[in-house]
Amino acid sequence: MIEKLTLYFQYPFVKYALIVGVLIALCSSLLGVTLVLKRFSFIGDGLSHVAFGAMAVAAVLNLTDEMMLVLPVTVLSAILLLRTGQNTRIKGDSAIAMISVGAMAIGYLLMNLFSTSPNLSGDVCSTLFGSTSILTLTEREVILCAVLSALVVLIFVLFYNKIFAVTFDEAFAKATGTPADRYNLLIAVIVAVIIVLAMNLVGSLLISALVIFPALSAMRLFGSFKGVTICSAVISVICAASGIIISILAGTPVGSTIVAVDILAFGLCVLVGKLTGATRE
Amino acid sequence: MALLTVKNLSYGYDSQAILTDLNFSVNAGDYLCIVGENGSGKTTLMKTLLGLREPMSGEIIPGDGLKKNEIGYLPQQTIVQKDFPASVREIVLSGFQGQTGLRPFYNRQEKAQAQENMQRMGIEALADTCYRELSGGQQQRVLLARALCATRKVLLLDEPVSGLDPKVTTEMYELIRSLNHEGITIIMISHDIASAVRYASHILHIGSEVFFGTKQEYIDSKVYNKWIVAEDQSLTTDH
Ligand SMILES: Nc1ncnc2c1ncn2[C@@H]1O[C@H](COP(=O)(O)OP(=O)(O)O)[C@@H](O)[C@H]1O
Ligand SMILES: [Mg+2]
């Protein structure tokens, strides 16, 4: 088995997949706690559908660089969703459902009507579940992913205390002079970037799992925001790395393997949490 | 000039006014209690004073150079906070957020002051404990320590003793009184009229009838006496 691995790691695409996978897993776990606790997880879900739609349009237009379309569209939708979420007239949830399901339907429709690909359902499937895309990354995509991931981590660290304040108690933050709306916007934009990144790794349907599972796992073990943040980053990185390696060895789809490992880790954390009584129900 | 002057204020939800034409003012060092029945609009008034909601009409005028980031606030608790992974220290420190501007981390002075505020509230031993594992009284102390980090001037408290047992309630009231004696202006919502009358210097009563004045004026007022009688009656019919 070790031999098989060393053989595989001689191929650059396997190395790329591992590097990018670990970086993306790191970013996507950072905002997990915020998304879960701010009840923003539905925004993440909605955005992944939008990203799917954008990806479909990019495929139909035969763009060589899909990210150039998908990234701005998703970021824009994030801002829009946040705005409508704050608007009391249209309820946030239904706005998200409208935009996300709409984007998905149109995306699939466009792909069906205009796609020149001989294997349409295969294309759709890989956009949804990210089946093999991670192993076919070009060097340029790897660099772009690496730069974006590094940027996300840097911004997260610099705004860590502000993100905490706005997540823990938005009303208090606002009342005492923190420009909470600006930071909410920042969070939404980072989430959008993370979703576009994560789409490469696990496909659009499994993004929420990648974002939320490590956070939920870490919350079983730690009682401080810092502890949970660091722990969920570690869990996410380990799960992604082992998921990628398992999928290479066993020939399973990358995205679902990583998520399966994440679920396993969650089960383990629930168990450990119960045994040590680290957190009370 | 008063610390806070409220002029002809109308407030409510979606063009549905809860209260119209409210007038009162708070001077530095005052202890104002806002009383009234459940649902009479006390929390909404406080949110309007804090700028969390737009007033429908009228004005809220800050005085004495009071700035937005010099206000401390203790909200009525929400459910989201209850399962939040956060240590006591993290929460108390976050009280400084309004003053940090774009600076990413808390400085040494802020950390020391957070420590001092935890000491005053008697929670320094709990600094690294998770908030959700604390008792109700301890949680309120944490939120009060956070509010103290945000201000040296004025504290707005929304039912700080709800859900606390009688002993802890008295401790909480004494803590708030000692803060007031140190010169911090208190604006507190309470449904406990007896304690309001005991501790406050001024009372704002809202509901179908509105009253604003000093404690003594309130005790002599019709509003107060009507309410006391009504409370007595509901108590006797309960038993
Ligand atoms: N978000 C909201 N939207 C619409 N109406 C609300 C909202 N929150 C409270 N209300 C209504 O406003 C009134 C005053 O509520 P509130 O200020 O919480 O009262 P109090 O704090 O005095 O118990 C109540 O009748 C309540 O039903
Ligand atoms: Mg209330």
Side-chain angles (χ1 to χ4, degrees):
Chain A
M1 200 170 95
I2 305 287
E3 271 170 43
K4 200 170 168 193
L5 266 184
T6 31
L7 179 72
Y8 273 119
F9 273 99
Q10 282 166 359
Y11 295 106
F13 66 85
V14 176
K15 260 187 275 179
Y16 289 162
L18 203 63
I19 294 170
V20 169
V22 164
L23 281 173
I24 292 173
L26 176 65
C27 299
S28 58
S29 66
L30 291 179
L31 279 177
V33 185
T34 305
L35 289 188
V36 171
L37 291 165
K38 249 183 165 316
R39 308 279 149 89
F40 266 10
S41 41
F42 55 87
I43 288 191
D45 231 26
L47 284 182
S48 59
H49 294 151
V50 170
F52 169 83
M55 197 75 124
V57 172
V60 168
L61 294 177
N62 247 327
L63 291 183
T64 41
D65 217 335
E66 290 167 342
M67 283 258 239
M68 290 304 155
L69 180 75
V70 179
L71 194 61
V73 168
T74 313
V75 168
L76 224 73
S77 312
I79 296 169
L80 214 74
L81 281 183
L82 200 73
R83 284 277 147 80
T84 48
Q86 284 161 350
N87 185 338
T88 42
R89 265 166 216 275
I90 311 176
K91 267 202 72 180
D93 291 5
S94 50
I96 287 160
M98 265 157 49
I99 294 183
S100 64
V101 178
M104 200 126 180
I106 303 273
Y108 184 57
L109 195 64
L110 285 176
M111 271 174 122
N112 251 302
L113 288 177
F114 299 109
S115 176
T116 48
S117 160
N119 181 13
L120 177 68
S121 55
D123 281 358
V124 172
C125 198
S126 76
T127 322
L128 287 177
F129 295 104
S131 50
T132 54
S133 57
I134 185 82
L135 291 177
T136 58
L137 292 177
T138 63
E139 202 174 329
R140 250 196 91 216
E141 284 170 319
V142 173
I143 292 172
L144 185 62
C145 276
V147 170
L148 281 179
S149 308
L151 215 62
V152 166
V153 174
L154 183 73
I155 290 176
F156 180 81
V157 170
L158 287 179
F159 287 88
Y160 168 83
N161 282 317
K162 302 180 196 315
I163 291 172
F164 171 81
V166 173
T167 310
F168 180 70
D169 192 342
E170 188 175 325
F172 176 87
K174 263 189 197 166
T176 56
T178 305
D181 288 336
R182 221 176 293 162
Y183 296 134
N184 275 332
L185 196 66
L186 182 78
I187 292 172
V189 171
I190 300 177
V191 170
V193 174
I194 288 173
I195 280 168
V196 173
L197 282 173
M199 204 157 153
N200 290 315
L201 186 61
V202 294
S204 64
L205 275 190
L206 299 179
I207 288 172
S208 297
L210 195 69
V211 172
I212 286 163
F213 267 113
L216 289 178
S217 306
M219 278 162 70
R220 294 283 163 160
L221 301 181
F222 286 88
S224 71
F225 194 69
K226 201 181 199 172
V228 168
T229 303
I230 293 172
C231 176
S232 68
V234 170
I235 290 178
S236 184
V237 164
I238 292 175
C239 289
S242 38
I244 291 172
I245 291 172
I246 291 171
S247 75
I248 291 170
L249 289 176
T252 50
V254 183
S256 24
T257 310
I258 293 176
V259 173
V261 177
D262 271 323
I263 293 170
L264 216 67
F266 176 68
L268 209 67
C269 290
V270 171
L271 213 68
V272 173
K274 282 249 159 70
L275 287 179
T276 59
T279 55
R280 285 190 293 162
E281 287 299 306
Chain B
M1 181 165 173
L3 197 62
L4 201 67
T5 309
V6 171
K7 256 195 201 157
N8 306 324
L9 177 71
S10 301
Y11 65 91
Y13 288 99
D14 303 325
S15 71
Q16 180 92 44
I18 292 175
L19 211 65
T20 53
D21 247 346
L22 184 64
N23 288 286
F24 67 93
S25 63
V26 183
N27 288 309
D30 280 0
Y31 188 144
L32 172 70
C33 255
I34 304 174
V35 297
E37 284 164 46
N38 264 338
S40 57
K42 304 182 295 294
T43 297
T44 314
L45 171 62
M46 188 166 276
K47 287 184 174 165
T48 311
L49 293 180
L50 288 164
L52 296 174
R53 303 195 56 84
E54 286 290 315
M56 291 162 71
S57 65
E59 282 177 289
I60 299 162
I61 308 155
D64 295 346
L66 183 68
K67 291 201 212 68
K68 186 104 182 70
N69 62 3
E70 292 176 326
I71 294 170
Y73 172 43
L74 195 149
Q76 227 172 356
Q77 283 202 7
T78 55
I79 303 124
V80 180
Q81 282 175 25
K82 292 228 151 103
D83 48 60
F84 200 103
S87 70
V88 168
R89 189 191 308 279
E90 288 176 321
I91 293 170
V92 174
L93 265 172
S94 74
F96 287 112
Q97 197 45 249
Q99 296 150 47
T100 56
L102 274 178
R103 170 157 51 83
F105 306 109
Y106 299 113
N107 61 31
R108 198 168 297 162
Q109 192 198 336
E110 286 163 344
K111 283 178 187 161
Q113 211 179 320
Q115 188 70 34
E116 198 184 301
N117 286 335
M118 284 192 280
Q119 256 160 28
R120 281 177 68 195
M121 295 296 123
I123 50 169
E124 81 265 42
L126 302 170
D128 296 310
T129 311
C130 178
Y131 178 77
R132 65 181 170 218
E133 285 168 17
L134 303 179
S135 70
Q138 288 169 329
Q139 290 189 340
Q140 287 300 76
R141 281 162 183 265
V142 173
L143 297 187
L144 195 52
R146 174 183 68 167
L148 282 178
C149 288
T151 190
R152 297 273 71 209
K153 288 189 173 169
V154 52
L155 277 177
L156 283 83
L157 314 165
D158 194 345
E159 307 218 4
V161 300
S162 69
L164 304 184
D165 63 52
K167 179 168 167 285
V168 183
T169 297
T170 312
E171 283 171 15
M172 197 74 184
Y173 277 134
E174 289 301 330
L175 260 176
I176 295 167
R177 194 222 299 259
S178 70
L179 293 172
N180 181 239
H181 284 173
E182 286 166 33
I184 296 178
T185 308
I186 305 284
I187 300 176
M188 179 169 95
I189 293 175
S190 172
H191 58 242
D192 172 6
I193 198 115
S195 304
V197 167
R198 174 151 6 109
Y199 290 103
S201 65
H202 293 72
I203 303 274
L204 173 66
H205 183 127
I206 60 177
S208 49
E209 283 178 277
V210 175
F211 175 91
F212 172 70
T214 63
K215 173 167 75 178
Q216 197 52 51
E217 287 167 352
Y218 182 61
I219 291 172
D220 298 335
S221 74
K222 271 201 305 242
V223 186
Y224 174 69
N225 289 296
K226 231 197 253 172
W227 209 29
I228 289 292
V229 172
E231 291 237 311
D232 272 354
Q233 273 170 354
S234 77
L235 279 181
T236 39
T237 46
D238 272 357
H239 289 282

